[in-house]
Amino acid sequence: MTNIKLVSKKLIKPCTPTPQNLKNYKLSFIDEVSPQMEVGVILFYPLSNQKRSCLEESFAKILVQFYPLAGRYNSNDCCVDCSDQGAGFVIAEALEIELIDLIAERNLEKLEALSPPCNRFQENEATDPLLSIQITKFKCGGLAISISVPHRIFDASSLETFIAAWSNANKSELEGKFMMTISPNFDSPSFFPAKNQRKKVEESKTTETSKSVVRKFSFNKESITSLISNLRPDHGKQRIPRLRVVTALIAKALIGLDEVKQGGESRPCIVVQAVNIRGRTTPPLPKHSCGNLVILSPSRCMDGIETKDMGIQELVRLLGDAIDKSVADCGEIMSAGEEGLSNIIIKPVADAYRRFVSEEANVIWFSDWSKFGFYEADFGWGKPVWASIVEVPGNNFVVFMEKKEGTEIEAWVNLDKTDMLLFEQDEEIRFFTS
């Protein structure tokens, strides 16, 4: 996207210093093996009556609670120096662009200029801000707020907690009314102490390539209902989750795409889904626990012969079995011990990445952000009309979002450019998406 004018760029520090006993924030071992990427969203608001100074003031206040985000990553010790150096805060103008034109955008690269500059897919330098914000104003009076943070520090649920806290604080400033405060919790490293998994982190890094593209595919209510109507619930369950059916459809298309690339032969295939462990552990972790509290849920490995005949019904069952096992595992995490935690958290990550990098199997990755409350972020001028992601980490990776009304699922799919052309021509993808 062109015609984005930089108005100002600064570092904003917490309005009060971080206490000495909180100056060193150790990462958890789940943080250590998280993808090398940014977790971020762009929130779009029409005709806002925003005040920039109020956004900055509320931001400085909320950083007091989210003190690691104002620090710097120390790669030698795998920790955050909570030194209050500040978070990046950019103001920009897009006075030749209409917000309405961006809301229909399918190509993620065309939204990149709305996101703050940061070292995507690379190791954070000692001077790099961890949290980066960009406020972009449009000629129609609309506004885009982009929030981005390294995945090793936050997952999508943590990002939701930060955005909810900031928007509540800003709305309180604007309206002079008390809003219920959100108290983040940064105790996850004490439950999952770091294990110096730096080698595994290096092996799991994803790299940006010029051949990779990200496109949005939208599944409306009617399409999803039509898909479900052709399937039957399994294992005595009353219904099939909407997202599981969409996941199965995309996985089926990607399996077919891989078969074409392999000259008609089929590789073994694993479908990996990210599972949020909040609310699923015993005892439960605090609702607003920050950091990475996600495990990977790999399906059993389908052999090449099996993938040739795999239909949506079979994939729905496969995905459900994997999720059911992972949810059961979540209940054991807090009492699993070192070996048990390795089996539940570390080994699935290491095995999936090994198979992915070696290309011995077709590994398809899914992450669901559709249940996070990004559309509830009211800074004082109403809720966003659209929420977009900032990036997808690598090929064969899909991130789900949901439209404001909750009736439409958006799938952001990252594929090689050539693969994307084939994926877009898949008959079922064309029929069920817009």
Side-chain angles (χ1 to χ4, degrees):
M1 185 192 303
T2 58
N3 301 322
I4 300 288
K5 177 185 176 183
L6 178 67
V7 176
S8 67
K9 181 179 180 180
K10 63 176 70 175
L11 291 175
I12 294 183
K13 300 180 179 182
C15 62
T16 58
T18 298
Q20 194 62 38
N21 65 313
L22 299 177
K23 289 290 188 180
N24 184 275
Y25 176 67
K26 286 284 188 182
L27 301 188
S28 74
F29 73 78
I30 308 178
D31 296 331
E32 288 180 320
V33 296
S34 295
Q36 189 77 346
M37 61 173 284
E38 294 286 313
V39 174
V41 295
I42 309 173
L43 306 175
F44 295 84
Y45 298 88
L47 301 173
S48 58
N49 62 346
Q50 74 282 353
K51 298 178 181 178
R52 190 183 76 184
S53 59
C54 188
L55 279 170
E56 293 182 12
E57 289 167 8
S58 61
F59 185 69
K61 289 180 180 179
I62 211 67
L63 277 179
V64 175
Q65 292 179 278
F66 292 85
Y67 58 94
L69 299 184
R72 297 295 182 268
Y73 178 63
N74 182 332
S75 60
N76 292 326
D77 297 330
C78 291
C79 69
V80 176
D81 293 328
C82 303
S83 48
D84 297 335
Q85 293 185 54
F89 200 93
V90 173
I91 303 294
E93 291 180 345
L95 298 182
E96 298 180 14
I97 302 169
E98 293 283 2
L99 182 144
I100 190 67
D101 295 331
L102 294 178
I103 292 176
E105 187 56 62
R106 290 186 60 237
N107 299 351
L108 188 61
E109 56 265 31
K110 292 186 179 180
L111 301 176
E112 287 182 353
L114 299 177
S115 297
C118 53
N119 286 338
R120 305 192 194 286
F121 302 98
Q122 299 177 19
E123 186 79 23
N124 293 91
E125 299 293 337
T127 56
D128 290 341
L130 294 179
L131 174 62
S132 300
I133 306 293
Q134 180 168 318
I135 315 293
T136 306
K137 299 178 182 179
F138 299 98
K139 67 178 182 179
C140 60
L143 186 77
I145 300 180
S146 178
I147 307 101
S148 185
V149 67
H151 203 327
R152 75 157 54 85
I153 308 299
F154 264 23
D155 59 14
S157 180
S158 305
L159 186 68
E160 175 200 15
T161 293
F162 172 79
I163 292 172
W166 182 24
S167 60
N168 282 356
N170 196 77
K171 189 172 184 179
S172 296
E173 292 282 339
L174 283 178
E175 299 180 354
K177 298 178 182 178
F178 172 77
M179 297 287 292
M180 185 177 293
T181 57
I182 292 173
S183 299
N185 181 286
F186 289 96
D187 291 340
S188 62
S190 65
F191 297 116
F192 311 109
K195 298 181 181 294
N196 196 24
Q197 302 284 330
R198 293 178 66 183
K199 182 179 179 181
K200 288 188 174 63
V201 173
E202 292 298 317
E203 292 173 351
S204 69
K205 282 184 180 179
T206 53
T207 56
E208 184 179 23
T209 69
S210 59
K211 295 182 180 179
S212 180
V213 294
V214 181
R215 299 287 183 268
K216 181 187 70 175
F217 297 85
S218 298
F219 296 81
N220 62 32
K221 182 179 180 180
E222 291 73 23
S223 293
I224 298 170
T225 300
S226 176
L227 273 167
I228 294 175
S229 68
N230 295 320
L231 304 174
R232 61 186 182 279
D234 201 16
H235 300 309
K237 296 178 181 178
Q238 297 300 311
R239 65 181 185 87
I240 302 172
R242 298 162 63 242
L243 190 74
R244 190 167 300 168
V245 177
V246 173
T247 304
L249 178 71
I250 294 174
K252 182 175 179 290
L254 291 175
I255 290 170
L257 169 62
D258 190 66
E259 184 178 333
V260 172
K261 290 172 59 181
Q262 302 301 320
E265 298 295 324
S266 294
R267 286 189 295 167
C269 180
I270 301 173
V271 180
V272 182
Q273 303 168 87
V275 174
N276 186 357
I277 71 174
R278 297 170 182 83
R280 292 177 165 136
T281 60
T282 305
L285 294 165
K287 179 180 179 181
H288 295 300
S289 293
C290 292
N292 284 281
L293 292 164
V294 173
I295 63 173
L296 293 184
S297 176
S299 70
R300 64 175 177 79
C301 184
M302 299 171 278
D303 62 35
I305 296 175
E306 187 179 7
T307 58
K308 279 184 173 290
D309 300 319
M310 183 68 68
I312 294 178
Q313 181 74 62
E314 291 76 19
L315 281 166
V316 165
R317 184 182 301 116
L318 185 82
L319 296 170
D321 289 346
I323 290 294
D324 289 346
K325 180 183 183 304
S326 295
V327 169
D329 286 343
C330 287
E332 306 294 326
I333 281 177
M334 304 300 280
S335 57
E338 187 169 341
E339 183 177 354
L341 286 174
S342 178
N343 289 333
I344 295 171
I345 299 174
I346 300 297
K347 288 184 178 179
V349 177
D351 182 62
Y353 274 115
R354 178 184 62 79
R355 291 171 180 263
F356 179 66
V357 172
S358 68
E359 299 185 351
E360 68 180 73
N362 178 23
V363 183
I364 306 170
W365 313 83
F366 291 94
S367 184
D368 176 20
W369 295 17
S370 65
K371 301 299 186 294
F372 300 130
F374 297 124
Y375 281 100
E376 298 301 313
D378 183 355
F379 285 82
W381 49 79
K383 297 177 181 180
V385 293
W386 188 44
S388 164
I389 63 171
V390 166
E391 69 180 54
V392 182
N395 287 342
N396 261 29
F397 206 114
V398 181
V399 175
F400 291 115
M401 294 283 278
E402 198 166 46
K403 288 294 286 290
K404 184 176 183 179
E405 298 79 11
T407 58
E408 186 171 312
I409 294 173
E410 296 178 338
W412 292 93
V413 182
N414 188 332
L415 291 172
D416 175 271
K417 281 185 178 180
T418 303
D419 293 350
M420 182 63 76
L421 293 174
L422 294 172
F423 180 78
E424 291 176 318
Q425 295 305 311
D426 181 272
E427 289 185 5
E428 291 182 316
I429 293 298
R430 293 180 65 184
F431 184 79
F432 287 108
T433 68
S434 57

